[in-house]
Every structure is written in C-alpha cells, then in structure tokens.
Amino acid sequence: MSVPDKALRATVGLLERWEQGASLADLLPDIGGDRIVHNTVLTILRTLASLDVLIDSASAGKVRKRLRPVLRWGTCQALYMQGLPDAAAVDVCVRYARRRFGRHQGAYVNAVLRNITAVIRAGSVEPLLAAAPLHVRLGLGPELVRRWEKRFPPDELADLAGVLQQNAPLTVRLRAGAPVPSDPDSLACLRLPDWAGDASFYISTDAHALFRSAEFARGDFYVQDPSTAMAPRMLDVQPGERVADLCAAPGGKSVMLAEALGRAGMLACADRSCRRMRRVRENLAGDDACLIVADAARAPFERGSFDAVLLDVPCSNTGVIRRRPDVRWRFSTRQLRELVDLQRRILAESAGLLRPGGRIVYSTCSIEPEENGEQVRWLTEGGTPLRLVTERELLPCKTHDGAYAALLIRD
Ligand SMILES: C[S@@+](CC[C@H](N)C(=O)[O-])C[C@H]1O[C@@H](n2cnc3c(N)ncnc32)[C@H](O)[C@@H]1O
C-alpha cells in the first residue's frame, strides 16, 4: 500500500471515531509520530465547514454519511495540502471507496472530487465560500458564533476567528535551573508580559532540530503554551509551602509548582483520570510530589491543611481552539451548563482545604464568562470566606492561547 493510501486509511479511521464522539485529544495519541496524518487531521478539523460546503455543492444528491470522511480527505488534499497532485489524490480516494463500499460508491466519489477540482481550477472556491453562512466564513461552529456575536463587534470577531484558524506554533518553556540554550538556531526567544512572571518561553523555528537537541533529551524544555504560565505565576508558591494541584493532569502547571517549591514543602497532585495521572507521574519524575487519583469535588485531604491550591478545572476549552480545532464544532450551551456545575462543585469543596490566609488560583483555558469571572463572583458572593484579589483573562493571539485565572484569599 502506498504512503497516500495508508495516510487516507488512517485519517478516515480517525475521522470516523471523531464522528462517533471521540475528541481530538483522545485521538492524538493514536496518531503517534505520523506528521502527515497529524497535519491532515488538524487541517480537516479546522476547515470542516468549508470542506462540507464544497462537497455538498459538488454532489448531485445528498452525500452519504459514510462517504463524507473520504471526501473531506480528498477535498482537503486538493485545497490545502501540498505534495500530492489532484488527480493522484482523487485516485487514492476512488480506490479506497471502491474497495470498502463497492464500485458504485467509487464512481460517486470520483464524480464529486472531479467536480471539486474543477471548481478549484476555475478559481470559484472563494465566491462559493463568500456566499456561505457567517459561521462557515469564520470557520467556527454556529453555536459559538451566535454566542460570540453578542460579545464581540464584527471586526473583533473576525480577528479572533482569524487567529483561531492559524496553526499554533510549537512553544517550549525552559525549566527552572536549566541553562539558557547555547545554540538558539532552532528557537526564538518570546518576550511576554508580566502575567508570565520570569518564565522563559521560546518558539521553535525548527521542531526536528529541537527534538533532536541534547537540551531536549536532558529535559531542559517543557512543551507548553505561554498562557499556561499565568495561573502558577499568580499562585506565587514559596519554598516550604503545602500546595495542592487538584486537576493536575497532564502536569504542565504541576511541574511549575514543583519548581517553585524547590523540594522544600509539599506538593499534592490529584486528577480524576487514572490514565492522565500517568502523564503527571512521567512529567514529575525526579520531583517530590504526592500523586493520587481523586475527584476534586470530594478531595480526600484534611480540611484547612493547604497554604495554596491550584484549580485548573475542566472547561469548554474555547481559549485553545488553535491547538484543539474540533472544540469549535463541539461547543454546546448544554455542555457548558454541565461544566459550570462541575466547576462550582470543585470550587466549593476546595475552598475548605485552605488554612486561614491561604490562597486559591482558579483557572481555565476558556474565554467564556460563565466559566470564569461569573464563577468567581458566584463563589465570593455566596457566603464563603474567600475574597477576590485579582483576575485576568487572555484572549487567544499569535503568541499564546486564551486563558483565565483568578487569585482568591481565605480570610
Ligand atoms: C485543564 S485540564 C488540567 C491541565 C493541567 N493543570 C496542566 O497544566 O497540565 C483539567 C483536568 O481536570 C481533570 N478533571 C476533570 N474532572 C475532574 C474532577 N472532578 N476532579 C479532578 N480532576 C478532574 C481532567 O482529567 C483534566 O486532566
């Protein structure tokens, strides 16, 4: 089987699982190191609505659900990917459809994809998409657009959607105590505002060179987005403190908390997912930390026993759509309500774990007010002994993802 045949088969398999409800985050580990499949899946999930408009306009009748993944792959190749001539991409799709679904379906795929390549050659894609509904033009799910239209003026919404259509750069943090890289050829230093504190971030300009470097092999770098530095920085952990990170996996922020403690004090990391806690264990290898699998809404810790608690709660992820492009199609108000409820239960329970004078940082990678400031207001106005000290929201931009963090102190 040729490389494109294998890539198509792998991509269609992943897209089918995605259609059945798996998230991109669940699927990524199965892609492994296959950059071609990885890039194609991300591109398809980012441009899904435009691909479907083209596919629907090129089909004589209603497109069969089972053929859509293969048509999306073929259209994506012709429109956005380089390397495979259009005719070759169509042939790969036709062979696949014929083998799997029979001769007639192969002929149908052939007709649709040849119509699409003709539209592309005629330069008619732009006018076709310009006439599509707003959410298609913005490359966002309709529910998200309805919500964001109420919040952002049209030009700001278009700018935000433009940012979310971009591929996020590969960014790394230099771990505390690691030497500044001597050969920065594959890295560009990022200057960040004060919310990142003294964390040093770099954009990788050559991922292969970075992953092959001695520094990377030694563990000097941690792959993470700069926005993730905001919450640990706000918590401002000091050596000797008792600290809990209650939604810790995969552990990016736990690593920063462990660095701030510098082996003096105590770090307890918990997460509800046993599978994801394994990643925390790998990421904290060599650091002193107590790891447990636990529900943060019923955390098995002594009340009043912590100086500082980080609550990096599960959320709708609307701030990290560049890295998780499927979030834009999956966002729903119903799911948001469920998340808000879970976040409230975690917040209410965790407040009791703090000693008087102790502090909590509540954070999300969402930009939805219901998950951010409104949650903090709900807590502080609800009779708990917590008071808001500061809060900050970052909107996604070229250099970082979106995020929210609030610092609260127990009186
Ligand atoms: C935003 S992620 C945390 C990212 C992590 N802080 C980091 O920096 O790598 C949210 C985490 O909350 C976990 N989670 C979801 N519900 C939970 C619950 N009820 N109790 C504890 N953890 C939960 C998820 O498994 C997920 O790992």
Side-chain angles (χ1 to χ4, degrees):
M1 200 184 272
S2 71
V3 172
D5 284 309
K6 279 189 200 145
L8 168 63
R9 197 175 61 170
T11 306
V12 166
L14 291 161
L15 292 176
E16 285 175 347
R17 283 169 58 201
W18 184 76
E19 288 286 357
Q20 285 157 12
S23 69
L24 178 63
D26 297 332
L27 299 174
L28 281 180
D30 294 345
I31 300 177
D34 191 328
R35 300 303 304 168
I36 295 177
V37 173
H38 185 272
N39 286 343
T40 311
V41 169
L42 258 70
T43 307
I44 290 175
L45 289 179
R46 194 174 296 125
T47 58
L48 209 60
S50 308
L51 295 177
D52 284 349
V53 164
L54 272 173
I55 292 167
D56 291 333
S57 72
S59 169
K62 196 167 177 314
V63 178
R64 291 221 170 113
K65 200 172 169 216
R66 62 184 183 166
L67 294 177
R68 205 171 272 282
V70 66
L71 291 170
R72 284 172 173 168
W73 186 90
T75 310
C76 178
Q77 292 299 322
L79 206 52
Y80 300 116
M81 312 301 277
Q82 275 132 27
L84 198 60
D86 289 358
V90 173
D91 282 349
V92 171
C93 293
V94 172
R95 270 203 307 276
Y96 177 88
R98 200 186 291 144
R99 239 185 353 253
R100 192 164 163 203
F101 304 116
R103 204 157 46 87
H104 288 304
Q105 304 305 322
Y108 169 80
V109 164
N110 186 38
V112 173
L113 290 179
R114 290 206 186 274
N115 285 346
I116 290 173
T117 51
V119 168
I120 295 172
R121 270 199 309 277
S124 308
V125 172
E126 240 174 71
L128 191 69
L129 294 180
L134 180 65
H135 80 272
V136 177
R137 284 180 274 135
L138 293 175
L140 294 168
E143 201 156 344
L144 210 46
V145 169
R146 275 197 294 277
R147 145 175 290 266
W148 285 356
E149 263 186 305
K150 291 185 198 137
R151 179 173 169 197
F152 301 106
D155 52 340
E156 282 180 35
L157 177 54
D159 287 349
L160 178 60
V163 166
L164 298 179
Q165 280 302 98
Q166 302 304 310
N167 225 339
L170 173 63
T171 49
V172 290
R173 183 177 65 82
L174 186 66
R175 292 201 55 178
V180 173
S182 54
D183 173 16
D185 279 357
S186 62
L187 296 170
C189 190
L190 260 176
R191 302 223 173 286
L192 293 167
D194 61 344
W195 50 257
D198 54 6
S200 302
F201 277 88
Y202 295 84
I203 289 191
S204 161
T205 49
D206 180 347
H208 291 293
L210 172 67
F211 292 139
R212 276 198 316 265
S213 69
E215 289 94 339
F216 196 82
R218 212 166 45 216
D220 289 2
F221 296 114
Y222 191 92
V223 176
Q224 68 187 105
D225 185 85
S227 64
T228 61
M230 178 165 71
R233 157 84 185 145
M234 209 178 251
L235 195 59
D236 194 21
V237 162
Q238 301 298 316
E241 289 193 312
R242 294 167 63 87
V243 182
D245 183 359
L246 296 183
C247 300
K253 298 184 184 80
S254 310
V255 170
M256 295 186 77
L257 300 177
E259 287 173 5
L261 280 175
R263 290 181 178 275
M266 197 273 284
L267 174 61
C269 297
D271 197 281
R272 196 171 58 176
S273 161
C274 182
R275 180 177 57 84
R276 286 168 63 80
M277 272 310 276
R278 288 197 200 108
R279 292 282 309 282
V280 181
R281 194 173 58 197
E282 286 160 22
N283 285 326
L284 284 175
D287 285 304
D288 262 349
C290 146
L291 310 186
I292 62 162
V293 174
D295 180 351
R298 284 179 293 156
F301 296 116
E302 201 184 321
R303 299 183 73 75
S305 61
F306 287 98
D307 300 299
V309 171
L310 177 63
L311 293 180
D312 190 30
V313 294
C315 69
S316 62
N317 296 308
T318 53
V320 292
I321 285 178
R322 291 186 313 165
R323 293 178 198 277
R324 300 186 48 183
D326 61 331
V327 165
R328 72 189 78 214
W329 315 117
R330 287 271 166 86
F331 177 89
S332 81
T333 308
R334 186 183 56 76
Q335 195 198 29
L336 180 69
R337 264 191 239 114
E338 286 168 14
L339 283 163
V340 165
D341 183 54
L342 172 63
Q343 291 158 357
R344 285 188 177 184
R345 284 189 281 120
I346 292 175
L347 257 172
E349 170 66 23
S350 313
L353 300 179
L354 285 182
R355 66 159 173 81
R359 56 205 191 280
I360 279 190
V361 164
Y362 170 81
S363 69
T364 70
C365 54
S366 157
I367 56 171
E368 307 315 308
E370 292 96 322
E371 297 182 274
N372 295 341
E374 287 179 24
Q375 292 292 54
V376 168
R377 240 60 73 200
W378 168 83
L379 186 73
T380 53
E381 288 162 14
T384 54
L386 286 169
R387 119 182 102 78
L388 174 65
V389 179
T390 185
E391 66 183 326
R392 180 154 201 166
E393 181 192 65
L394 305 177
L395 288 179
C397 67
K398 216 170 136 207
T399 42
H400 58 73
D401 287 334
Y404 171 84
L407 171 67
L408 299 127
I409 290 198
R410 179 175 170 194
D411 285 326

Coordinates of all heavy atoms in Angstrom, one line a residue, residues 222 245-254 270-273 276 294-297 310 312-315 317 342 346 365, ligand 1:
Y222 N 10.1 22.1 28.5 CA 8.8 21.5 28.6 C 7.9 22.2 27.5 O 7.8 23.4 27.4 CB 8.2 21.8 30.0 CG 7.0 21.0 30.3 CD1 7.1 19.8 31.0 CD2 5.7 21.4 30.0 CE1 6.0 19.0 31.3 CE2 4.6 20.7 30.2 CZ 4.7 19.5 30.9 OH 3.6 18.7 31.2
D245 N -2.6 20.7 43.8 CA -3.0 20.9 42.4 C -4.1 19.9 42.1 O -3.7 18.7 41.9 CB -1.8 20.7 41.5 CG -2.1 21.0 40.0 OD1 -3.2 21.4 39.7 OD2 -1.1 21.0 39.2
L246 N -5.3 20.3 42.1 CA -6.4 19.3 42.2 C -6.9 18.8 40.8 O -7.7 17.8 40.8 CB -7.5 19.8 43.0 CG -7.2 20.1 44.5 CD1 -8.4 20.6 45.3 CD2 -6.6 18.9 45.2
C247 N -6.6 19.5 39.8 CA -6.9 19.0 38.4 C -5.6 19.0 37.6 O -5.4 19.8 36.8 CB -8.0 19.8 37.7 SG -9.5 19.9 38.7
A248 N -4.7 18.1 37.9 CA -3.3 18.3 37.6 C -2.9 17.8 36.3 O -1.9 18.2 35.7 CB -2.5 17.6 38.7
A249 N -3.6 16.8 35.7 CA -3.1 16.1 34.5 C -3.2 16.9 33.3 O -4.2 17.7 33.1 CB -3.8 14.8 34.3
P250 N -2.3 16.9 32.3 CA -1.1 16.1 32.3 C 0.1 16.6 33.1 O 1.1 15.9 33.2 CB -0.7 16.0 30.8 CG -1.2 17.4 30.3 CD -2.4 17.7 31.1
G251 N 0.0 17.8 33.7 CA 1.0 18.1 34.7 C 1.9 19.3 34.4 O 2.8 19.6 35.1
G252 N 1.5 20.1 33.3 CA 2.3 21.2 32.9 C 2.5 22.2 34.1 O 3.6 22.7 34.4
K253 N 1.3 22.5 34.7 CA 1.4 23.5 35.8 C 2.0 22.9 37.1 O 2.6 23.6 37.9 CB 0.0 24.1 36.0 CG -0.5 24.8 34.8 CD -1.8 25.5 35.0 CE -2.3 26.1 33.7 NZ -2.9 25.1 32.8
S254 N 1.8 21.6 37.3 CA 2.4 20.9 38.5 C 3.9 21.0 38.4 O 4.5 21.3 39.4 CB 2.0 19.4 38.5 OG 0.7 19.2 38.3
A270 N -3.6 15.8 42.2 CA -4.7 14.9 42.0 C -5.4 15.1 40.7 O -5.3 16.3 40.1 CB -5.7 15.1 43.1
D271 N -6.0 14.1 40.1 CA -6.8 14.2 38.9 C -7.8 13.0 38.9 O -7.5 12.0 39.5 CB -5.9 14.2 37.6 CG -6.7 14.7 36.4 OD1 -7.5 14.0 35.9 OD2 -6.4 15.9 36.0
R272 N -8.9 13.2 38.3 CA -9.9 12.2 38.3 C -9.5 11.0 37.4 O -10.0 9.9 37.5 CB -11.3 12.7 37.9 CG -12.4 11.9 38.2 CD -13.7 12.5 38.0 NE -13.9 13.0 36.7 CZ -15.0 13.6 36.2 NH1 -16.0 13.8 37.0 NH2 -15.1 14.0 35.0
S273 N -8.7 11.4 36.4 CA -8.4 10.4 35.4 C -7.1 9.6 35.7 O -6.0 10.2 35.8 CB -8.2 11.0 34.0 OG -7.5 10.2 33.1
R276 N -4.6 9.7 32.7 CA -3.9 11.0 32.6 C -2.9 11.2 33.7 O -1.9 11.9 33.6 CB -5.0 12.2 32.5 CG -5.7 12.2 31.1 CD -6.8 13.1 31.1 NE -6.5 14.5 31.4 CZ -6.0 15.4 30.4 NH1 -5.8 14.9 29.2 NH2 -5.8 16.6 30.7
A294 N -8.1 11.2 42.2 CA -9.3 11.6 43.1 C -10.1 12.7 42.4 O -9.7 13.4 41.5 CB -8.7 12.2 44.4
D295 N -11.4 12.7 42.8 CA -12.4 13.7 42.3 C -12.2 15.0 43.1 O -12.3 14.9 44.4 CB -13.8 13.1 42.5 CG -14.9 14.0 42.1 OD1 -14.6 15.2 41.7 OD2 -16.0 13.6 42.1
A296 N -11.9 16.0 42.5 CA -11.6 17.3 43.2 C -12.8 17.8 43.9 O -12.7 18.6 44.8 CB -11.1 18.4 42.2
A297 N -14.0 17.4 43.5 CA -15.2 17.8 44.2 C -15.4 17.0 45.5 O -16.4 17.3 46.2 CB -16.4 17.6 43.3
L310 N -4.2 25.1 43.5 CA -4.4 25.4 42.1 C -5.6 24.6 41.6 O -5.6 23.4 41.8 CB -3.2 25.1 41.3 CG -3.4 25.4 39.8 CD1 -3.7 26.8 39.5 CD2 -2.1 24.9 39.0
D312 N -7.2 24.1 38.2 CA -7.1 24.3 36.8 C -8.2 23.4 36.2 O -7.9 22.4 35.6 CB -5.8 23.9 36.2 CG -5.5 24.3 34.8 OD1 -6.1 25.4 34.4 OD2 -4.8 23.7 34.1
V313 N -9.5 23.9 36.3 CA -10.6 23.0 36.2 C -10.9 22.6 34.7 O -10.5 23.3 33.8 CB -11.9 23.7 36.7 CG1 -11.8 23.9 38.2 CG2 -12.1 25.0 36.0
P314 N -11.6 21.4 34.5 CA -12.1 21.1 33.2 C -13.0 22.2 32.7 O -13.8 22.7 33.4 CB -12.8 19.8 33.4 CG -13.1 19.7 34.9 CD -12.1 20.5 35.6
C315 N -12.9 22.5 31.4 CA -13.7 23.6 30.8 C -14.0 23.3 29.4 O -13.6 22.3 28.8 CB -12.9 24.9 31.0 SG -11.4 25.0 30.0
N317 N -12.7 24.8 26.8 CA -11.5 24.9 26.0 C -11.6 25.9 24.9 O -10.9 25.8 23.9 CB -11.1 23.5 25.4 CG -10.8 22.5 26.4 OD1 -9.9 22.7 27.3 ND2 -11.4 21.3 26.4
L342 N -20.0 21.4 37.4 CA -18.9 20.7 37.9 C -17.8 21.6 38.5 O -17.3 21.4 39.6 CB -18.2 19.8 36.8 CG -16.9 19.1 37.1 CD1 -17.1 18.1 38.2 CD2 -16.4 18.4 35.8
I346 N -16.4 21.8 42.4 CA -14.9 21.7 42.7 C -14.5 22.9 43.5 O -13.8 22.8 44.5 CB -14.1 21.6 41.4 CG1 -14.3 20.2 40.7 CG2 -12.6 21.8 41.6 CD1 -13.7 20.0 39.4
C365 N -8.9 27.3 30.6 CA -8.4 27.7 29.2 C -9.6 28.0 28.4 O -9.7 27.7 27.2 CB -7.5 26.6 28.6 SG -8.2 25.0 28.5
Ligands
LIG1 C1 -7.5 21.7 32.1 S1 -7.0 20.1 32.5 C2 -5.7 20.3 33.6 C3 -4.4 20.7 33.0 C4 -3.2 20.6 34.0 N1 -3.5 21.5 35.1 C5 -1.9 21.0 33.3 O1 -1.5 22.1 33.5 O2 -1.4 20.2 32.6 C6 -8.3 19.6 33.5 C7 -8.1 18.3 34.2 O3 -9.2 18.1 35.1 C8 -9.4 16.7 35.2 N2 -10.7 16.5 35.8 C9 -12.0 16.5 35.3 N3 -12.9 16.4 36.2 C10 -12.3 16.3 37.4 C11 -12.7 16.1 38.7 N4 -14.0 16.0 39.1 N5 -11.7 16.0 39.7 C12 -10.4 16.1 39.4 N6 -10.0 16.2 38.1 C13 -10.9 16.4 37.1 C14 -9.3 16.2 33.8 O4 -9.0 14.8 33.8 C15 -8.1 17.0 33.3 O5 -6.9 16.3 33.4

